[in-house]
Amino acid sequence: MATGFPDLLAAEWLKARTGRLWWLLALVGGFLVLVSNLGLLSQGVEQLDAGTTTLAELTDVPVRNSMAMLLPAALFGAVFVTREYTGGTIGRSALLSGGRDRQWAAKLLVSLAAGALFGLFALVLGIGSAWALLAGHGHAPLWTGETWLIALGVFAVNVLGAAWGVFLGWILRKDMVAVAALVLLVLGVEPALHRFVPEVGKYFLTVAMSSVYRDTQPDLLPIPFACLVIAAWLAAAGYLARRLVRSRDLT
């Protein structure tokens, strides 16, 4: 007998926080954010002392860099789906969920909530490291409207990154394949394309997300256009994922 949708969400949320996946990804992402912030701020303080940057610009650096949590958020979404295929429980889960559509929707909503938590954690690290590391060099951070827009963008891309991960999980179904695809895309293919063929690379998902957290790289899309590109990628992936969930065997 199918449970109510709130009960289904509670069950999926319990699955999401069971095991080591969420905290291992948060730990790895947090380590990367803090280590890179330490290097960026140390270099930035030298530029500040030399008069080649401003305190406001330097405050924005660690907040913007906390977008590095995007990849762990996406990996969480992907593995949240694929580990049920790997464990052989996906068919039983769909049956107990009351149907494939309900399970698809529940996993998406839970992944979005998890992405929001990854985003908040990223901002705590970004804002906290700006405060601590600048104070360590005798400076106080200078928060501006631009800083808070960057923070809002970082939070948004973490939430959307989790959705991107869960869609790829449904499409690829194998945990190692999904993890490898995400790492390759986010760290390899998309940055390389943007660097060497920017007129093409700027239309890829995570490069378009750079506009949302107001990255200073050249050749990025204007924010409204970037939002349309992101929506198009997610809509296409979500449509394909749902279609495949409906049509393929859940084994």
Side-chain angles (χ1 to χ4, degrees):
M1 182 177 177
T3 59
F5 197 69
D7 292 332
L8 176 57
L9 285 177
E12 289 294 338
W13 183 248
L14 179 61
K15 291 179 190 176
R17 55 190 175 86
T18 298
R20 297 176 294 179
L21 175 65
W22 67 270
W23 65 262
L24 277 176
L25 288 172
L27 188 65
V28 171
F31 176 78
L32 293 175
V33 168
L34 290 177
V35 168
S36 56
N37 278 355
L38 179 61
L40 289 169
L41 278 174
S42 296
Q43 184 181 28
V45 167
E46 294 177 2
Q47 295 172 340
L48 182 65
D49 293 338
T52 56
T53 189
T54 66
L55 190 56
E57 291 173 339
L58 188 55
T59 302
D60 292 345
V61 169
V63 179
R64 182 182 292 112
N65 188 58
S66 62
M67 65 81 199
M69 196 67 72
L70 163 65
L71 180 57
L75 290 174
F76 174 86
V79 178
F80 181 46
V81 171
T82 57
R83 68 180 179 182
E84 291 220 43
Y85 283 101
T86 303
T89 60
I90 189 70
R92 185 174 57 187
S93 292
L95 182 63
L96 294 174
S97 298
R100 301 181 184 199
D101 286 343
R102 282 164 56 94
Q103 188 187 31
W104 183 91
K107 284 199 177 295
L108 175 59
L109 291 175
V110 169
S111 292
L112 290 172
L117 292 179
F118 274 93
L120 290 175
F121 181 50
L123 291 179
V124 168
L125 294 176
I127 294 172
S129 57
W131 223 303
L133 295 175
L134 282 173
H137 288 84
H139 299 287
L142 181 58
W143 310 108
T144 64
E146 175 70 9
T147 310
W148 297 115
L149 288 175
I150 292 169
L152 182 62
V154 167
F155 177 79
V157 299
N158 272 274
V159 176
L160 298 176
W164 175 239
V166 83
F167 291 152
L168 285 185
W170 283 119
I171 294 168
L172 299 174
R173 306 209 297 181
K174 301 290 187 185
D175 49 5
M176 294 308 298
V177 174
V179 168
L182 277 168
V183 172
L184 192 62
L185 282 171
V186 175
L187 299 182
V189 174
E190 295 186 10
L193 280 172
H194 184 233
R195 180 177 179 182
F196 296 110
V197 197
E199 60 274 17
V200 175
K202 63 185 178 183
Y203 292 100
F204 279 80
L205 179 65
T206 56
V207 180
M209 286 180 173
S210 302
S211 299
V212 176
Y213 57 81
R214 305 173 77 82
D215 203 309
T216 56
Q217 297 179 78
D219 300 313
L220 291 177
L221 295 170
I223 293 176
F225 197 18
C227 290
L228 291 176
V229 170
I230 293 167
W233 273 103
L234 292 178
Y239 173 79
L240 179 60
R242 191 169 183 177
R243 187 176 180 84
L244 291 175
V245 167
R246 285 177 166 180
S247 61
R248 294 193 298 193
D249 291 337
L250 291 179
T251 55

